């Protein structure tokens, strides 16, 4: 049974929707988003750059021949959804979305009504990878004997170290066959002035948000994958042929795309 929508507390998916210019958010999300934007005025640009990275990474993986994708922490549907990107390459490509917010689920149901057979949505939490990997609704679309594209876009920084973030990544990768691909982006404070970091820490009262630097992001995946060029870089700079709209400090989010060995 889906939990009721709690509009009194901010949620990352709805706050992200607000930064992207969407309307599927509540006052608590906007207030939280504005508090963060007061400290880091470039946060909306960062959200847009992260979304653009999702599209480039998903396209790259599809161009390697992958036709099934597991997108965890998908957020509220918006232009450039994963299935739109990969099905432009192959209309038969399959995508399973995962998120744990009731509002995301409501929008996902509307999305699914128009695209039967190639898309599914799981109401599940990244912190419980077994619940995702063994979900009954995942099996019809994801065949773990064939390469899978795993997308972890702007979601790992919501898993704390005491929630075994490395174990979460390991369990997901262990289920994927060799030749699978993973794309991840992760918030970082490594390029930011100390006073800005201090302001962000005040806005992160519950400690749910855990920035990690590029080296730590690389460590989460260990030697189980081969990171492709250009390595761990800002989301704004990963295979981006357009003029840079923001610096690494403004975007404050690293990215990697890797192939499982």
């Amino acid at each position: 049974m889906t939990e009721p929508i709690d509009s009194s507390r901010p949620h990352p998916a709805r706050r992200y929707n607000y930064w992207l210019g969407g309307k599927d958010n509540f006052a608590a999300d906007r207030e939280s988003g504005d508090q963060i934007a007061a400290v880091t005025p470039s946060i909306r640009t960062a959200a847009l750059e992260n979304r653009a990275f999702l599209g480039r990474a998903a396209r790259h993986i599809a161009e390697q021949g992958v036709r099934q994708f597991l997108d965890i922490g998908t957020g509220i549907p918006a232009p450039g959804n994963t299935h739109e990107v990969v099905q432009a390459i192959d209309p038969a490509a399959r995508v399973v979305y995962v998120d744990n917010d009731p509002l995301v689920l409501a929008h996902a149901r509307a999305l699914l009504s128009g695209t039967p057979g190639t898309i599914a949505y799981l109401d599940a939490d990244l912190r419980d990878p077994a619940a995702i990997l063994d979900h009954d609704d995942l099996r019809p679309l994801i065949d773990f004997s064939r390469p899978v594209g795993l997308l972890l876009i702007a979601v790992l920084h919501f898993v704390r170290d005491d929630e075994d973030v490395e174990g979460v990544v390991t369990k997901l990768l262990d289920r994927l066959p060799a030749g699978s691909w993973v794309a991840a982006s992760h918030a970082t404070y490594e390029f930011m002035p100390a006073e800005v970091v201090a302001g962000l820490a005040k806005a992160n009262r519950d400690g749910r948000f855990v920035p990690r630097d590029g080296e730590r992001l690389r460590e989460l995946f260990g030697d189980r994958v081969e990171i492709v060029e250009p390595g761990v870089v800002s989301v704004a700079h990963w295979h981006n042929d357009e003029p840079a709209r923001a610096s690494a400090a403004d975007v404050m989010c690293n990215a990697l795309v890797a192939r499982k060995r």
Side-chain angles (χ1 to χ4, degrees):
M1 183 177 179
T2 303
E3 294 293 323
I5 295 172
D6 183 357
S7 64
S8 67
R9 300 179 62 184
H11 188 279
R14 301 193 301 261
R15 186 169 54 213
Y16 189 62
N17 173 265
Y18 172 55
W19 286 333
L20 288 174
K23 299 179 180 179
D24 300 305
N25 47 74
F26 298 110
D29 308 305
R30 296 189 288 274
E31 180 181 357
S32 173
D34 288 343
Q35 288 174 353
I36 296 172
V39 182
T40 54
S42 65
I43 190 65
R44 291 179 176 84
T45 297
L48 291 168
E49 291 289 355
N50 201 68
R51 186 72 177 179
F53 164 71
L54 163 64
R56 296 194 304 273
R59 187 178 305 109
H60 177 85
I61 294 172
E63 288 172 346
Q64 311 313 305
V66 175
R67 293 296 181 264
Q68 47 183 2
F69 291 78
L70 179 57
D71 184 344
I72 302 178
T74 179
I76 296 168
N81 293 300
T82 299
H83 73 278
E84 294 171 329
V85 174
V86 301
Q87 289 180 354
I89 295 173
D90 184 345
R94 303 182 301 279
V95 179
V96 174
Y97 292 110
V98 181
D99 210 298
N100 66 340
D101 181 75
L103 185 62
V104 176
L105 176 59
H107 284 272
R109 284 174 173 157
L111 179 71
L112 295 180
S113 66
T115 53
T118 60
I119 304 174
Y121 174 87
L122 309 186
D123 184 12
D125 195 313
L126 172 62
R127 290 168 291 182
D128 186 3
I132 297 171
L133 296 169
D134 298 328
H135 200 289
D136 289 341
D137 292 342
L138 180 136
R139 295 191 185 101
L141 295 185
I142 302 294
D143 176 3
F144 285 112
S145 70
R146 300 178 64 82
V148 176
L150 172 64
L151 305 179
L152 298 168
I153 308 300
V155 66
L156 288 171
H157 45 238
F158 295 113
V159 183
R160 300 192 306 261
D161 288 340
D162 64 353
E163 294 170 325
D164 192 18
V165 63
E166 286 179 308
V168 167
V169 173
T170 296
K171 289 173 184 175
L172 290 169
L173 290 178
D174 282 350
R175 187 68 67 90
L176 305 183
S180 292
W181 288 76
V182 59
S185 64
H186 197 300
T188 180
Y189 290 170
E190 63 190 297
F191 308 113
M192 304 177 70
E195 61 271 19
V196 175
V197 173
L200 288 169
K202 289 182 181 179
N204 185 31
R205 296 186 184 92
D206 62 0
R208 170 49 57 201
F209 184 77
V210 185
R212 299 179 176 97
D213 64 21
E215 185 56 35
R216 181 65 177 132
L217 174 59
R218 188 189 306 271
E219 289 174 354
L220 293 181
F221 292 87
D223 60 3
R224 295 178 294 274
V225 301
E226 177 183 0
I227 299 175
V228 301
E229 293 296 332
V232 178
V233 297
S234 169
V235 292
H237 301 151
W238 194 90
H239 285 257
N240 189 358
D241 296 329
E242 298 180 1
R245 290 182 290 187
S247 67
D250 288 332
V251 176
M252 56 187 181
C253 196
N254 285 319
L256 66 81
V257 174
R259 187 175 186 272
K260 186 179 177 185
R261 301 181 190 276

